[in-house]
Amino acid sequence: MKTPSTFARRTLLKMAAAIAFTGALSVPLSANAAQAQVDSIHFLVPGGAGGGWDGTARGTGEALKKSGLVKKVSFQNLSGGGGGKAIAYLIETAEQQKNTLMVNSTPIVIRSLTGVFPQSFRDLTPVAGTIADYGALVVRNNSPYKHWNDVVADFRESPRNVKFAGGSTRGSMDHLVPAAAIKEEGFDPRSLRYIAYDAGGKAMAGLLSGEADLLSTGLGEALEMAKAGQVRILATTAPKRTPDAPNVPTLKEMGNNTVFANWRGFFGAPGMSDSKRDELAKVLGDMYDTEAWETVRSRNGWVNDYKPASEFVSFLESQEEQVGSLMRELGFLK
């Protein structure tokens, strides 16, 4: 295990997510990371341009290329079926995908549990988990909601009048986050009014147009619009304020103990050799040593959460059990 530098220790965040993140690891910057280790990586993105998966893949590719860890990177967006189309494609074309990494996140667990697609992470080769992104509840700049307690007060009076938007279907992570927060306040989470949009950009448009009162999304996806003054981040689901959003309060500090984070990581095709898997996991781990990665990470408000190979598999198995239990408690699974 790498030993964090003074700089990295300052930015290290202790993970305490309800979905059992095991702890984020920041690693020191190194002058030796510029030597190329892998000739090429092709990133398969199971969603459209501009979303969280796309940003993760392209940010990772940018850091790997600029640092010299990988000579050539390429990208392919293949949306459809809640990510199932890309998973099926990776499985069906496995023989041609020796250097392909598909980005994914918590939804691969959720959508497998709910039967959105028949496959699970077990049908792929888990290579490494790389980052975590806390949830954010976002409002328009002119929203009357200045504090989470304002939302709670309106919800108590009339749950149907408080509309939450998200960039994915009912029962998705965008839905789970506000449902868990509402449940923490003592309300029935099934009474939450959730408007599902097809992608985060459309959900943001729904918020800005007034179709919804709050947007549930990832902190990384909300930061840029908030910095540009287009929206306000009412609260995050981090256990404490993050260094990249020091002025944004957490639900926890406002009296609501909901803590939730979305991991993101990479998978290879089924049948990938252990040596190739380990090679790709290592180059992703070495990426944390680079200035190029720190630039990408801080820009997006991500938390380093490196889990290679077998550790990643153990985490996925644990999350499958714990998220399934949470979804059953909230009424999204029988």
Side-chain angles (χ1 to χ4, degrees):
M1 181 176 292
K2 298 176 182 178
T3 302
S5 65
T6 301
F7 170 77
R9 286 196 296 270
R10 289 201 300 267
T11 60
L12 187 64
L13 296 179
K14 183 179 179 182
M15 302 298 286
I19 55 177
F21 273 76
T22 60
L25 176 64
S26 294
V27 292
L29 299 176
S30 166
N32 298 323
Q35 184 177 356
Q37 297 178 0
V38 174
D39 285 337
S40 67
I41 294 179
H42 178 66
F43 290 95
L44 178 61
V45 181
W53 284 332
D54 187 65
T56 301
R58 292 180 188 276
T60 300
E62 173 189 331
L64 290 171
K65 183 75 163 56
K66 285 186 176 180
S67 64
L69 286 168
V70 177
K71 293 179 181 178
K72 179 182 178 182
V73 296
S74 56
F75 305 92
Q76 177 184 1
N77 292 82
L78 187 61
S79 59
K85 185 175 181 180
I87 292 173
Y89 171 77
L90 187 58
I91 293 171
E92 291 166 4
T93 62
E95 287 298 318
Q96 290 80 48
Q97 305 293 341
K98 302 300 184 184
N99 291 310
T100 294
L101 286 177
M102 183 187 71
V103 63
N104 222 294
S105 55
T106 307
I108 196 173
V109 173
I110 295 174
R111 290 166 186 171
S112 176
L113 286 169
T114 55
V116 172
F117 44 72
Q119 304 92 351
S120 76
F121 64 85
R122 294 177 181 84
D123 296 297
L124 303 168
T125 300
V127 173
T130 55
I131 59 170
D133 187 16
Y134 289 107
L137 296 174
V138 182
V139 297
R140 296 182 299 279
N141 275 334
N142 62 353
S143 170
Y145 296 137
K146 307 299 182 185
H147 191 281
W148 171 249
N149 288 343
D150 299 332
V151 180
V152 174
D154 271 9
F155 196 91
R156 180 177 289 111
E157 183 175 337
S158 178
R160 296 297 297 170
N161 285 340
V162 183
K163 295 170 286 186
F164 291 82
S168 194
T169 60
R170 286 182 57 81
S172 66
M173 199 191 71
D174 285 349
H175 191 180
L176 283 175
V177 167
I182 286 298
K183 180 180 183 297
E184 179 66 23
E185 297 292 345
F187 303 118
D188 182 355
R190 288 167 291 190
S191 66
L192 180 139
R193 187 173 178 184
Y194 176 78
I195 304 173
Y197 291 87
D198 182 19
K202 293 180 181 179
M204 181 67 80
L207 174 72
L208 295 175
S209 70
E211 291 178 350
D213 303 300
L214 297 100
L215 170 66
S216 171
T217 187
L219 175 59
E221 295 177 45
L223 272 177
E224 286 305 311
M225 292 196 73
K227 289 176 181 177
Q230 295 176 279
V231 296
R232 271 189 297 116
I233 304 175
L234 190 69
T236 75
T237 61
K240 61 182 181 181
R241 297 194 186 197
T242 68
D244 299 300
N247 298 320
V248 179
T250 68
L251 282 172
K252 190 174 179 67
E253 73 183 72
M254 292 190 283
N256 185 298
N257 288 321
T258 301
V259 178
F260 205 96
N262 177 26
W263 60 268
R264 291 183 187 137
F266 294 93
F267 297 79
M272 175 181 280
S273 68
D274 290 352
S275 60
K276 172 58 72 172
R277 178 201 64 195
D278 293 345
E279 176 188 45
L280 293 172
K282 183 181 185 303
V283 81
L284 289 169
D286 288 347
M287 177 182 69
Y288 292 95
D289 290 358
T290 69
E291 293 281 2
W293 172 250
E294 178 56 24
T295 298
V296 170
R297 186 213 61 76
S298 61
R299 182 177 71 213
N300 290 282
W302 295 333
V303 175
N304 289 336
D305 190 29
Y306 180 61
K307 294 182 176 71
S310 60
E311 186 181 344
F312 189 30
V313 172
S314 296
F315 167 74
L316 290 167
E317 291 171 345
S318 175
Q319 190 190 60
E320 183 181 57
E321 179 179 347
Q322 294 178 33
V323 170
S325 176
L326 175 62
M327 292 181 72
R328 280 185 285 273
E329 184 181 357
L330 295 175
F332 301 133
L333 287 178
K334 294 183 179 179

